[in-house]
Amino acid sequence: MSISKAIRSVLRPHSNWPSNNVLAIHTVRRTYTAVSITNDDMTTDIAEVIAETTAPLWSPKMIAWQAHSYSTIDDLVLTSNARSPLVVGPRELLVRVKASSVNPLDVLMAQGFGQVLLGTIRQAQKLSLHKPMEFPLTLGRDFSGEIIAKGVNVKSDLNIGDKVMGVIPPFHQGCHAEFVAVPEGLVAKKPAHMTSEEAAGLLYSGLTAWSALKLAGGLCVLSATEKNVLVIGGSGGVGNCAVQLLKNWGAKVTTTCSTDAINLVKALRPDNIIDYTAKDAKQQLENYGK
């Protein structure tokens, strides 16, 4: 029996699986070449292996934090009955989420921020005359995890089992869930020295910091050396990344923070730290700016 026939015969009895279940097909191909089938009923043996292999990786339902109306993040619902995503495009990846972060954008989106514009983008993507359903809405914009399925045209350096980090556009369903489907261009391999939590908390803040410094400020490794730069809010996500980038580029960095964040900011090694609650904060700023 050919591999393609084996795939069809195995998938047919499992009517509860989606018809385009990439995971099942991938697992059949891998299992068929690795397992020795000794009896004539190949379908039964392969089906049993699939059930054992894919069960921990993917299921039609998943756990997710979801919004069912625009309100506050306190009204998000943790459900175990959310619909799991699938790879539907040739350049998409399906990732099992290990860690994800909460950004200010998530809080704003839960309250309805950008709903008209984002709804228009979703409608245009679907080439539909009708407004797509907004709810349930899964938040979460950056994540780390493991690739468990890939489209047929995904570049060869992203493979099943790779540990990755990535971002999700606000007009896509987010990553506060067990699984997320994402275009390959928004995913990169996770550096081995980073934890999943560190990787999940880096991208949105880091890219925002880089964009502000490079695109708005014209600063980079070639132009920032010895520049005197003020970073407002060095203890925040964006400020934290900005301080580290600037120090790496050779700039002289002054940053502000509250009293209880001074020890955190010291670890970033800026040249000067100003406690903005101090009475002489303005005077300190003037002195450091000379």
Side-chain angles (χ1 to χ4, degrees):
M1 181 184 293
S2 68
I3 293 178
S4 60
K5 288 182 179 178
I7 292 171
R8 288 196 295 271
S9 62
V10 169
L11 291 181
R12 193 175 298 117
H14 295 265
S15 58
N16 60 319
W17 287 354
S19 59
N20 57 341
N21 188 336
V22 178
L23 277 180
I25 294 175
H26 172 80
T27 306
V28 173
R29 290 184 183 274
R30 185 172 57 189
T31 304
Y32 182 79
T33 57
V35 176
S36 175
I37 306 297
T38 56
N39 64 28
D40 294 331
D41 190 2
M42 298 175 65
T43 302
T44 302
D45 286 352
I46 297 176
E48 289 175 355
V49 174
I50 287 179
E52 294 173 4
T53 305
T54 62
L57 295 181
W58 186 90
S59 63
K61 299 295 183 180
M62 66 177 180
I63 298 172
W65 283 100
Q66 293 188 321
H68 292 269
S69 64
Y70 290 122
S71 183
T72 68
I73 58 173
D74 294 328
D75 293 324
L76 294 178
V77 175
L78 180 63
T79 178
S80 59
N81 199 40
R83 184 178 179 181
S84 296
L86 286 167
V87 171
V88 296
R91 295 190 178 277
E92 274 194 346
L93 296 166
L94 184 63
V95 176
R96 179 171 54 182
V97 177
K98 177 68 174 179
S100 60
S101 67
V102 178
N103 290 289
L105 179 60
D106 296 310
V107 178
L108 292 172
M109 286 183 64
Q111 298 169 350
F113 174 79
Q115 57 181 289
V116 176
L117 175 60
L118 296 177
T120 302
I121 295 174
R122 295 185 189 110
Q123 183 176 348
Q125 286 186 323
K126 293 181 179 294
L127 301 177
S128 173
L129 297 177
H130 304 286
K131 184 179 179 181
M133 292 181 60
E134 295 180 77
F135 302 105
L137 174 65
T138 303
L139 301 173
R141 298 300 118 202
D142 43 5
F143 65 90
S144 64
E146 177 184 352
I147 297 174
I148 58 173
K150 58 185 289 187
V152 294
N153 291 335
V154 170
K155 54 190 177 184
S156 59
D157 63 334
L158 291 173
N159 297 300
I160 307 297
D162 284 350
K163 304 298 189 296
V164 294
M165 55 199 291
V167 296
I168 306 292
F171 45 85
H172 285 189
Q173 288 285 25
C175 55
H176 290 167
E178 286 187 273
F179 308 104
V180 65
V182 59
E184 64 168 337
L186 301 180
V187 172
K189 288 187 177 180
K190 180 180 75 67
H193 68 276
M194 295 183 71
T195 67
S196 297
E197 291 76 13
E198 289 171 340
L202 174 64
L203 290 178
Y204 250 74
S205 296
L207 290 172
T208 301
W210 180 88
S211 297
L213 296 174
K214 179 66 169 68
L215 303 181
L219 298 173
C220 65
V221 67
L222 299 177
S223 61
T225 304
E226 298 302 320
K227 291 284 180 63
N228 199 3
V229 183
L230 171 65
V231 176
I232 303 296
S235 61
V238 175
N240 190 298
C241 292
V243 170
Q244 294 179 74
L245 283 171
L246 287 166
K247 289 301 297 180
N248 185 264
W249 294 344
K252 182 180 179 181
V253 181
T254 298
T255 187
T256 64
C257 66
S258 60
T259 305
D260 59 0
I262 288 178
N263 288 336
L264 168 66
V265 176
K266 279 183 178 179
L268 307 178
R269 299 183 178 180
D271 297 276
N272 306 299
I273 300 174
I274 299 175
D275 181 347
Y276 61 74
T277 66
K279 293 182 178 180
D280 64 340
K282 182 179 179 180
Q283 185 60 50
Q284 290 185 59
L285 182 59
E286 291 176 351
N287 292 338
Y288 292 141
K290 293 179 180 178

PDB file of all heavy atoms in Angstrom, residues 269-289:
ATOM      1  N   ARG A 269      22.384  48.876  33.717  1.00  0.00           N
ATOM      2  CA  ARG A 269      23.632  49.641  33.657  1.00  0.00           C
ATOM      3  C   ARG A 269      23.547  50.910  32.802  1.00  0.00           C
ATOM      4  O   ARG A 269      24.430  51.172  31.966  1.00  0.00           O
ATOM      5  CB  ARG A 269      24.776  48.758  33.172  1.00  0.00           C
ATOM      6  CG  ARG A 269      25.036  47.577  34.100  1.00  0.00           C
ATOM      7  CD  ARG A 269      26.221  46.757  33.654  1.00  0.00           C
ATOM      8  NE  ARG A 269      26.467  45.658  34.589  1.00  0.00           N
ATOM      9  CZ  ARG A 269      27.445  44.770  34.451  1.00  0.00           C
ATOM     10  NH1 ARG A 269      28.267  44.854  33.420  1.00  0.00           N
ATOM     11  NH2 ARG A 269      27.598  43.808  35.340  1.00  0.00           N
ATOM     12  N   PRO A 270      22.511  51.728  33.015  1.00  0.00           N
ATOM     13  CA  PRO A 270      22.528  53.043  32.363  1.00  0.00           C
ATOM     14  C   PRO A 270      23.577  53.916  33.042  1.00  0.00           C
ATOM     15  O   PRO A 270      24.038  53.614  34.148  1.00  0.00           O
ATOM     16  CB  PRO A 270      21.112  53.570  32.614  1.00  0.00           C
ATOM     17  CG  PRO A 270      20.715  52.928  33.906  1.00  0.00           C
ATOM     18  CD  PRO A 270      21.336  51.555  33.879  1.00  0.00           C
ATOM     19  N   ASP A 271      23.944  55.009  32.407  1.00  0.00           N
ATOM     20  CA  ASP A 271      24.940  55.899  33.004  1.00  0.00           C
ATOM     21  C   ASP A 271      24.352  56.691  34.167  1.00  0.00           C
ATOM     22  O   ASP A 271      25.042  56.933  35.160  1.00  0.00           O
ATOM     23  CB  ASP A 271      25.472  56.854  31.929  1.00  0.00           C
ATOM     24  CG  ASP A 271      26.198  56.106  30.826  1.00  0.00           C
ATOM     25  OD1 ASP A 271      27.392  55.813  30.995  1.00  0.00           O
ATOM     26  OD2 ASP A 271      25.551  55.790  29.807  1.00  0.00           O
ATOM     27  N   ASN A 272      23.090  57.068  34.044  1.00  0.00           N
ATOM     28  CA  ASN A 272      22.442  57.852  35.098  1.00  0.00           C
ATOM     29  C   ASN A 272      20.995  57.394  35.272  1.00  0.00           C
ATOM     30  O   ASN A 272      20.319  57.058  34.293  1.00  0.00           O
ATOM     31  CB  ASN A 272      22.438  59.346  34.746  1.00  0.00           C
ATOM     32  CG  ASN A 272      23.824  59.864  34.419  1.00  0.00           C
ATOM     33  OD1 ASN A 272      24.725  59.829  35.250  1.00  0.00           O
ATOM     34  ND2 ASN A 272      23.998  60.341  33.193  1.00  0.00           N
ATOM     35  N   ILE A 273      20.543  57.389  36.527  1.00  0.00           N
ATOM     36  CA  ILE A 273      19.156  57.060  36.842  1.00  0.00           C
ATOM     37  C   ILE A 273      18.554  58.222  37.619  1.00  0.00           C
ATOM     38  O   ILE A 273      19.136  58.682  38.610  1.00  0.00           O
ATOM     39  CB  ILE A 273      19.052  55.771  37.682  1.00  0.00           C
ATOM     40  CG1 ILE A 273      19.662  54.584  36.932  1.00  0.00           C
ATOM     41  CG2 ILE A 273      17.592  55.481  38.034  1.00  0.00           C
ATOM     42  CD1 ILE A 273      19.720  53.310  37.760  1.00  0.00           C
ATOM     43  N   ILE A 274      17.398  58.682  37.185  1.00  0.00           N
ATOM     44  CA  ILE A 274      16.696  59.766  37.868  1.00  0.00           C
ATOM     45  C   ILE A 274      15.392  59.226  38.440  1.00  0.00           C
ATOM     46  O   ILE A 274      14.558  58.695  37.701  1.00  0.00           O
ATOM     47  CB  ILE A 274      16.394  60.933  36.910  1.00  0.00           C
ATOM     48  CG1 ILE A 274      17.693  61.522  36.358  1.00  0.00           C
ATOM     49  CG2 ILE A 274      15.576  62.008  37.618  1.00  0.00           C
ATOM     50  CD1 ILE A 274      17.472  62.603  35.317  1.00  0.00           C
ATOM     51  N   ASP A 275      15.247  59.346  39.750  1.00  0.00           N
ATOM     52  CA  ASP A 275      13.983  59.007  40.406  1.00  0.00           C
ATOM     53  C   ASP A 275      13.028  60.175  40.163  1.00  0.00           C
ATOM     54  O   ASP A 275      13.212  61.267  40.711  1.00  0.00           O
ATOM     55  CB  ASP A 275      14.216  58.793  41.901  1.00  0.00           C
ATOM     56  CG  ASP A 275      12.947  58.401  42.648  1.00  0.00           C
ATOM     57  OD1 ASP A 275      11.843  58.527  42.073  1.00  0.00           O
ATOM     58  OD2 ASP A 275      13.056  57.991  43.819  1.00  0.00           O
ATOM     59  N   TYR A 276      12.023  59.955  39.322  1.00  0.00           N
ATOM     60  CA  TYR A 276      11.171  61.081  38.936  1.00  0.00           C
ATOM     61  C   TYR A 276      10.281  61.569  40.079  1.00  0.00           C
ATOM     62  O   TYR A 276       9.617  62.612  39.954  1.00  0.00           O
ATOM     63  CB  TYR A 276      10.326  60.744  37.705  1.00  0.00           C
ATOM     64  CG  TYR A 276       9.360  59.593  37.853  1.00  0.00           C
ATOM     65  CD1 TYR A 276       8.189  59.716  38.589  1.00  0.00           C
ATOM     66  CD2 TYR A 276       9.610  58.380  37.220  1.00  0.00           C
ATOM     67  CE1 TYR A 276       7.300  58.666  38.710  1.00  0.00           C
ATOM     68  CE2 TYR A 276       8.728  57.319  37.331  1.00  0.00           C
ATOM     69  CZ  TYR A 276       7.573  57.466  38.082  1.00  0.00           C
ATOM     70  OH  TYR A 276       6.698  56.420  38.204  1.00  0.00           O
ATOM     71  N   THR A 277      10.258  60.838  41.203  1.00  0.00           N
ATOM     72  CA  THR A 277       9.501  61.316  42.365  1.00  0.00           C
ATOM     73  C   THR A 277      10.354  62.211  43.268  1.00  0.00           C
ATOM     74  O   THR A 277       9.833  62.808  44.217  1.00  0.00           O
ATOM     75  CB  THR A 277       8.976  60.130  43.192  1.00  0.00           C
ATOM     76  OG1 THR A 277      10.082  59.423  43.775  1.00  0.00           O
ATOM     77  CG2 THR A 277       8.162  59.179  42.324  1.00  0.00           C
ATOM     78  N   ALA A 278      11.649  62.283  42.996  1.00  0.00           N
ATOM     79  CA  ALA A 278      12.542  63.099  43.822  1.00  0.00           C
ATOM     80  C   ALA A 278      12.277  64.586  43.598  1.00  0.00           C
ATOM     81  O   ALA A 278      11.912  65.016  42.497  1.00  0.00           O
ATOM     82  CB  ALA A 278      13.998  62.774  43.501  1.00  0.00           C
ATOM     83  N   LYS A 279      12.485  65.380  44.647  1.00  0.00           N
ATOM     84  CA  LYS A 279      12.226  66.817  44.554  1.00  0.00           C
ATOM     85  C   LYS A 279      13.168  67.505  43.572  1.00  0.00           C
ATOM     86  O   LYS A 279      12.815  68.509  42.955  1.00  0.00           O
ATOM     87  CB  LYS A 279      12.351  67.452  45.939  1.00  0.00           C
ATOM     88  CG  LYS A 279      11.264  67.013  46.914  1.00  0.00           C
ATOM     89  CD  LYS A 279      11.421  67.707  48.254  1.00  0.00           C
ATOM     90  CE  LYS A 279      10.306  67.294  49.218  1.00  0.00           C
ATOM     91  NZ  LYS A 279      10.429  67.963  50.547  1.00  0.00           N
ATOM     92  N   ASP A 280      14.384  66.969  43.453  1.00  0.00           N
ATOM     93  CA  ASP A 280      15.362  67.609  42.567  1.00  0.00           C
ATOM     94  C   ASP A 280      15.485  66.897  41.220  1.00  0.00           C
ATOM     95  O   ASP A 280      16.515  66.997  40.544  1.00  0.00           O
ATOM     96  CB  ASP A 280      16.729  67.655  43.243  1.00  0.00           C
ATOM     97  CG  ASP A 280      17.293  66.265  43.507  1.00  0.00           C
ATOM     98  OD1 ASP A 280      16.498  65.292  43.520  1.00  0.00           O
ATOM     99  OD2 ASP A 280      18.522  66.149  43.684  1.00  0.00           O
ATOM    100  N   ALA A 281      14.450  66.170  40.821  1.00  0.00           N
ATOM    101  CA  ALA A 281      14.504  65.411  39.566  1.00  0.00           C
ATOM    102  C   ALA A 281      14.783  66.323  38.372  1.00  0.00           C
ATOM    103  O   ALA A 281      15.586  65.984  37.493  1.00  0.00           O
ATOM    104  CB  ALA A 281      13.200  64.650  39.361  1.00  0.00           C
ATOM    105  N   LYS A 282      14.151  67.486  38.343  1.00  0.00           N
ATOM    106  CA  LYS A 282      14.356  68.413  37.225  1.00  0.00           C
ATOM    107  C   LYS A 282      15.797  68.900  37.188  1.00  0.00           C
ATOM    108  O   LYS A 282      16.408  68.983  36.113  1.00  0.00           O
ATOM    109  CB  LYS A 282      13.393  69.588  37.342  1.00  0.00           C
ATOM    110  CG  LYS A 282      13.514  70.582  36.198  1.00  0.00           C
ATOM    111  CD  LYS A 282      12.508  71.718  36.345  1.00  0.00           C
ATOM    112  CE  LYS A 282      12.658  72.717  35.201  1.00  0.00           C
ATOM    113  NZ  LYS A 282      11.686  73.844  35.334  1.00  0.00           N
ATOM    114  N   GLN A 283      16.345  69.202  38.353  1.00  0.00           N
ATOM    115  CA  GLN A 283      17.722  69.673  38.416  1.00  0.00           C
ATOM    116  C   GLN A 283      18.698  68.583  37.972  1.00  0.00           C
ATOM    117  O   GLN A 283      19.667  68.840  37.253  1.00  0.00           O
ATOM    118  CB  GLN A 283      18.063  70.123  39.836  1.00  0.00           C
ATOM    119  CG  GLN A 283      19.449  70.739  39.982  1.00  0.00           C
ATOM    120  CD  GLN A 283      19.627  71.973  39.124  1.00  0.00           C
ATOM    121  OE1 GLN A 283      18.793  72.885  39.150  1.00  0.00           O
ATOM    122  NE2 GLN A 283      20.706  72.018  38.341  1.00  0.00           N
ATOM    123  N   GLN A 284      18.429  67.333  38.401  1.00  0.00           N
ATOM    124  CA  GLN A 284      19.275  66.212  37.969  1.00  0.00           C
ATOM    125  C   GLN A 284      19.257  66.076  36.450  1.00  0.00           C
ATOM    126  O   GLN A 284      20.298  65.860  35.816  1.00  0.00           O
ATOM    127  CB  GLN A 284      18.784  64.906  38.598  1.00  0.00           C
ATOM    128  CG  GLN A 284      18.996  64.772  40.087  1.00  0.00           C
ATOM    129  CD  GLN A 284      18.571  63.397  40.572  1.00  0.00           C
ATOM    130  OE1 GLN A 284      19.100  62.374  40.125  1.00  0.00           O
ATOM    131  NE2 GLN A 284      17.607  63.364  41.486  1.00  0.00           N
ATOM    132  N   LEU A 285      18.087  66.209  35.880  1.00  0.00           N
ATOM    133  CA  LEU A 285      17.952  66.074  34.432  1.00  0.00           C
ATOM    134  C   LEU A 285      18.756  67.154  33.711  1.00  0.00           C
ATOM    135  O   LEU A 285      19.438  66.877  32.720  1.00  0.00           O
ATOM    136  CB  LEU A 285      16.473  66.157  34.045  1.00  0.00           C
ATOM    137  CG  LEU A 285      16.140  65.995  32.561  1.00  0.00           C
ATOM    138  CD1 LEU A 285      16.636  64.651  32.045  1.00  0.00           C
ATOM    139  CD2 LEU A 285      14.631  66.118  32.334  1.00  0.00           C
ATOM    140  N   GLU A 286      18.688  68.374  34.224  1.00  0.00           N
ATOM    141  CA  GLU A 286      19.441  69.467  33.603  1.00  0.00           C
ATOM    142  C   GLU A 286      20.944  69.226  33.709  1.00  0.00           C
ATOM    143  O   GLU A 286      21.692  69.477  32.758  1.00  0.00           O
ATOM    144  CB  GLU A 286      19.067  70.791  34.268  1.00  0.00           C
ATOM    145  CG  GLU A 286      17.637  71.236  33.965  1.00  0.00           C
ATOM    146  CD  GLU A 286      17.266  72.509  34.711  1.00  0.00           C
ATOM    147  OE1 GLU A 286      18.069  72.937  35.584  1.00  0.00           O
ATOM    148  OE2 GLU A 286      16.189  73.062  34.440  1.00  0.00           O
ATOM    149  N   ASN A 287      21.383  68.708  34.852  1.00  0.00           N
ATOM    150  CA  ASN A 287      22.812  68.459  35.046  1.00  0.00           C
ATOM    151  C   ASN A 287      23.320  67.357  34.118  1.00  0.00           C
ATOM    152  O   ASN A 287      24.392  67.481  33.512  1.00  0.00           O
ATOM    153  CB  ASN A 287      23.090  68.075  36.499  1.00  0.00           C
ATOM    154  CG  ASN A 287      22.853  69.230  37.459  1.00  0.00           C
ATOM    155  OD1 ASN A 287      22.874  70.399  37.058  1.00  0.00           O
ATOM    156  ND2 ASN A 287      22.622  68.912  38.726  1.00  0.00           N
ATOM    157  N   TYR A 288      22.554  66.275  34.014  1.00  0.00           N
ATOM    158  CA  TYR A 288      22.986  65.159  33.170  1.00  0.00           C
ATOM    159  C   TYR A 288      22.926  65.515  31.689  1.00  0.00           C
ATOM    160  O   TYR A 288      23.624  64.912  30.869  1.00  0.00           O
ATOM    161  CB  TYR A 288      22.118  63.928  33.426  1.00  0.00           C
ATOM    162  CG  TYR A 288      22.306  63.316  34.791  1.00  0.00           C
ATOM    163  CD1 TYR A 288      21.216  62.814  35.506  1.00  0.00           C
ATOM    164  CD2 TYR A 288      23.567  63.232  35.379  1.00  0.00           C
ATOM    165  CE1 TYR A 288      21.381  62.245  36.760  1.00  0.00           C
ATOM    166  CE2 TYR A 288      23.739  62.677  36.632  1.00  0.00           C
ATOM    167  CZ  TYR A 288      22.641  62.182  37.317  1.00  0.00           C
ATOM    168  OH  TYR A 288      22.812  61.628  38.559  1.00  0.00           O
ATOM    169  N   GLY A 289      22.109  66.502  31.348  1.00  0.00           N
ATOM    170  CA  GLY A 289      21.960  66.871  29.944  1.00  0.00           C
ATOM    171  C   GLY A 289      23.010  67.829  29.437  1.00  0.00           C
ATOM    172  O   GLY A 289      23.053  68.130  28.237  1.00  0.00           O
TER     173      GLY A 289
END
